[in-house]
Amino acid sequence: MSFDVKDQKECWDYTQDKMKDLMEQIADDFRVYLGDQYTDKEKSALAKKGKPSLVINVAKKPCDLLSGFQRQNWADLSCLPIEGADEVQADVYTQLFKWIFSSQNGSHYVSQAFDDAVICGVGWVAPEIGYDRDLAYGDIRILRESPMSVMPDPATNNADLSDCMYILRHAWMSKTRAKSLFPELSDLIDKCGMGTSMGEENAPRDTRNMVRILENWRKVYSTKKTAMHLLTGEMTDIEDDTVLEGQENYRILDLPTSRIELFSTINEQEIVYEGENPHGVSRFPLIPVFGYWVPSFPEWEWRVQGIIRVLKDSQREKNKRRSQLMEAILSMPHGGWFVEKGSLEDYGPLRKAGSTSRVVEYNPGKPKPSPIETPPISGALMELEQLHTADVRELGLNPDLLGIVGEKGAPAALGAMRQKQGITAVQMIFDNLAMAKKSLGRYLIDLTRHNWDNTKVERIIGSMLPFDFASSGEYYDVAVDELVDSPSYRMANFMVLQQMAQQGFPIPPELMIEMAPCSPEMKKKILAGMQAAAGVNPDGSIPPAGAPGEVPPEIAQMLAGSSGGDITQGQSPTGE
């Protein structure tokens, strides 16, 4: 069934009607996080009365704590083999993951999407291919998309979007930018009028010389003929007129299959693109990172929440309470005197006596002037302020439990236990991040398979591939998981070996040196020093009995520094 501009408009209207309340909540969550916590009406009313509109932004810190914790404990993506024969494939994909994330700042954008999820309940990761540096194959980059620019199918219930039928994404851009992205449509873009807002929360205030791009990524189902071998179970896609050798050994099946199609328009008038996913992947190119995700509840404004949603009421109460305290303090008398009429000849010295020691003369027989005392602040207001501070600790994150604050000299294990206890309350957020990263890894596998070949991959990993890359990485060959953070793939392996050695595994020192992230020259010197210390010459030969190996000067100095002794030529580290 064909899809046209009219269908696009109807899909947008339906989805926006279902998601409008969520988008309003998301926009409000960001305003609260950024400190814009009064409505325009409230600001105007307070200004007319001359009252302060203070913002004591206590809701921001819990979000920043989670963001910092996630960034400090970042885990890389890795591929694990399903069977032993798939180890080489898994190793290659792990190296590709590392290259994509490190060369294109992928971890930074994923962390930004996580920040969005913490603040408003959902963030979006958008992997794509850019051809700025490599015109032939392109480079895969991982970007972050605004939560106010993406709306999934309202009927979605699974956090991995496995039951999602479409995703809408819109973007405002200048005509110059649009023509750079769609050069073949330059004339059409020039003729387009000014874009008009369709009610989205992040529409620019001034849309002159701008256009609005609306994308509809749709899941389309169809059937395909597949031949299943009755003995081996092997599945082969065939055409209607295909004749198989040994037809009696096959069973012909009509199996359902799905693909992702893109329908994109400018200003809801002209079609920019219509067809299958231009990158050839049968997965949505937008991957959600949810915060608190409760699909059992039907309304999206409640099923998707972040940390700010819980703290908003308490935050606004604190602002009003602090503003009331400030107003009360400012309206109180600060200094002054009670003076009986006629008791003083000159009031000048009394007016200056507030901050200095002065002699004030008053008439004999008259009462002496007495200072006006500042009344105490309302105890009820102070008690409410203290209760609010306790509420924030109950509703938000306790920094103590994240191990941020600890007793002097406390053991490291205590800090780890505190962190684990503090993270328990927000474990759902980190589990959703882990699931999103695995979905991202699976999308990257399909994206590289469909757009790169052996030539591109060999340039990245620096070695020849023993298999056809385009046919690798099948779903049942490799699995995506997380790996300890490291600057490079080699460093990742070195850190894994280091951890194994610390746990008591007999890791050969030569293997540790081989995987160490240092120069080949340095590795040779270290190996030469180890051989000399063990009584072996640098060329591998064994010296005569009683003749110790020669220790290079650089290694002797290194060993001396580590052992605290003086090692000279011809001496072993033990001095024998």
Side-chain angles (χ1 to χ4, degrees):
M1 185 175 65
S2 62
F3 194 85
D4 55 23
V5 175
K6 180 181 178 182
D7 296 326
Q8 180 91 314
K9 179 66 167 56
E10 292 177 352
C11 183
W12 169 268
D13 291 341
Y14 168 78
T15 309
Q16 190 190 40
D17 180 65
K18 296 291 186 181
M19 296 289 189
K20 183 179 179 180
D21 292 339
L22 173 63
M23 293 296 137
E24 290 177 352
Q25 287 279 13
I26 288 176
D28 189 53
D29 290 342
F30 277 104
R31 281 193 290 267
V32 171
Y33 174 78
L34 296 172
D36 184 12
Q37 299 172 2
Y38 289 90
T39 64
D40 293 338
K41 185 177 180 180
E42 290 172 336
K43 292 177 186 176
S44 177
L46 289 172
K48 287 180 180 179
K49 297 178 181 179
K51 297 182 177 181
S53 54
L54 295 179
V55 174
I56 312 298
N57 198 354
V58 297
K60 185 175 183 294
K61 187 175 181 180
C63 298
D64 294 343
L65 280 173
L66 277 184
S67 174
F69 186 85
Q70 182 270 329
R71 292 168 189 264
Q72 291 179 352
N73 294 273
W74 171 265
D76 287 332
L77 283 179
S78 67
C79 251
L80 303 177
I82 301 297
E83 299 175 353
D86 302 321
E87 288 184 0
V88 177
Q89 291 187 32
D91 186 68
V92 169
Y93 278 110
T94 300
Q95 295 184 63
L96 292 180
F97 287 163
K98 190 64 191 178
W99 185 84
I100 291 171
F101 274 87
S102 60
S103 65
Q104 302 294 330
N105 299 317
S107 58
H108 173 73
Y109 291 109
V110 173
S111 294
Q112 281 192 327
F114 176 79
D115 294 345
D116 290 339
V118 170
I119 294 170
C120 71
V122 62
W124 293 90
V125 177
E128 63 178 31
I129 297 181
Y131 293 90
D132 300 335
R133 297 183 180 89
D134 189 339
L135 298 177
Y137 298 99
D139 291 327
I140 296 176
R141 54 195 180 195
I142 302 169
L143 302 178
R144 165 252 177 206
E145 192 62 75
S146 169
M148 289 177 280
S149 297
V150 182
M151 294 190 297
D153 175 10
T156 302
N157 284 304
N158 297 335
D160 61 356
L161 303 185
S162 56
D163 61 342
C164 180
M165 294 303 297
Y166 66 88
I167 298 178
L168 295 176
R169 174 171 64 175
H170 71 271
W172 286 89
M173 62 183 67
S174 66
K175 289 186 177 182
T176 303
R177 170 66 174 163
K179 287 188 287 187
S180 69
L181 293 176
F182 312 104
E184 69 280 3
L185 301 174
S186 295
D187 294 338
L188 174 62
I189 294 172
D190 282 330
K191 295 177 182 178
C192 283
M194 181 177 66
T196 57
S197 172
M198 299 294 290
E200 60 268 38
E201 290 290 332
N202 60 342
R205 295 181 179 179
D206 187 359
T207 60
R208 288 176 295 181
N209 200 35
M210 299 187 72
V211 293
R212 181 176 181 270
I213 307 295
L214 177 60
E215 297 177 348
N216 190 334
W217 297 88
R218 303 183 302 127
K219 184 183 292 185
V220 179
Y221 285 94
S222 60
T223 58
K224 64 178 181 180
K225 281 194 173 298
T226 303
M228 183 182 72
H229 198 281
L230 297 177
L231 298 179
T232 64
E234 182 181 356
M235 309 287 281
T236 305
D237 295 341
I238 60 174
E239 301 295 335
D240 292 339
D241 56 353
T242 302
V243 178
L244 297 171
E245 183 178 352
Q247 186 82 21
E248 65 279 0
N249 295 325
Y250 288 90
R251 181 180 178 183
I252 308 303
L253 304 172
D254 289 325
L255 298 180
T257 183
S258 65
R259 65 182 184 277
I260 301 298
E261 293 187 354
L262 171 62
F263 189 88
S264 183
T265 58
I266 290 183
N267 291 352
E268 292 74 48
Q269 299 171 358
E270 303 293 341
I271 298 175
V272 177
Y273 182 88
E274 182 180 12
E276 291 192 24
N277 185 340
H279 298 317
V281 180
S282 295
R283 297 174 183 270
F284 287 116
L286 293 159
I287 300 165
V289 181
F290 287 109
Y292 292 114
W293 168 254
V294 187
S296 300
F297 203 79
E299 281 79 19
W300 277 76
E301 64 270 23
W302 292 107
R303 67 159 61 178
V304 175
Q305 296 190 30
I307 298 294
I308 293 292
R309 198 77 53 85
V310 181
L311 296 174
K312 273 198 292 193
D313 288 345
S314 183
Q315 171 65 65
R316 288 189 167 118
E317 180 194 356
K318 183 176 185 64
N319 292 340
K320 294 178 181 179
R321 196 74 56 224
R322 186 62 65 88
S323 297
Q324 289 173 350
L325 278 172
M326 183 64 70
E327 181 188 3
I329 293 172
L330 293 177
S331 61
M332 291 178 181
H334 295 278
W337 300 86
F338 290 108
V339 180
E340 184 175 327
K341 189 174 181 180
S343 62
L344 293 175
E345 297 292 343
D346 182 11
Y347 291 97
L350 201 59
R351 291 190 179 97
K352 298 178 181 179
S355 58
T356 59
S357 298
R358 288 180 176 272
V359 176
V360 179
E361 296 181 350
Y362 62 96
N363 295 326
K366 299 291 185 180
K368 63 180 181 181
S370 60
I372 300 175
E373 296 183 0
T374 303
I377 302 174
S378 170
L381 288 178
M382 293 300 298
E383 185 177 354
L384 286 173
E385 181 75 7
Q386 295 171 0
L387 287 173
H388 175 269
T389 303
D391 288 342
V392 171
R393 293 180 69 88
E394 290 293 331
L395 296 174
L397 295 177
N398 188 343
D400 295 351
L401 295 182
L402 286 179
I404 307 301
V405 178
E407 296 82 3
K408 186 176 180 180
L414 179 59
M417 291 176 62
R418 283 182 169 179
Q419 285 188 349
K420 186 174 181 181
Q421 182 182 359
I423 290 300
T424 300
V426 291
Q427 188 63 47
M428 180 191 297
I429 298 178
F430 287 97
D431 287 347
N432 288 335
L433 172 64
M435 182 176 64
K437 289 172 68 176
K438 291 178 182 180
S439 297
L440 173 61
R442 179 51 63 179
Y443 186 89
L444 292 177
I445 289 176
D446 291 348
L447 194 59
T448 52
R449 286 176 52 211
H450 285 87
N451 295 277
W452 290 352
D453 59 14
N454 285 43
T455 303
K456 173 73 172 182
V457 176
E458 288 169 357
R459 283 171 54 194
I460 294 175
I461 67 175
S463 60
M464 301 293 291
L465 289 180
F467 57 87
D468 178 29
F469 183 74
S471 60
S472 67
E474 295 292 343
Y475 185 80
Y476 295 104
D477 291 340
V478 293
V480 179
D481 205 347
E482 292 183 319
L483 185 69
V484 63
D485 178 31
S486 60
S488 66
Y489 176 73
R490 176 177 291 274
M491 185 64 179
N493 286 334
F494 178 75
M495 293 176 68
V496 170
L497 292 175
Q498 193 176 43
Q499 291 179 353
M500 293 176 66
Q502 291 174 353
Q503 296 296 324
F505 288 90
I507 306 298
E510 292 80 4
L511 179 60
M512 294 287 292
I513 295 173
E514 179 185 350
M515 299 306 299
C518 55
S519 66
E521 249 343 278
M522 179 60 70
K523 293 180 182 180
K524 290 180 181 178
K525 291 180 180 180
I526 296 175
L527 287 173
M530 292 176 57
Q531 292 170 348
V536 180
N537 288 329
D539 60 359
S541 62
I542 300 176
E550 295 183 1
V551 181
E554 301 91 344
I555 303 304
Q557 186 176 2
M558 290 172 54
L559 294 175
S562 62
S563 62
D566 182 19
I567 300 180
T568 58
Q569 292 286 348
Q571 287 185 322
S572 68
T574 59
E576 296 177 354

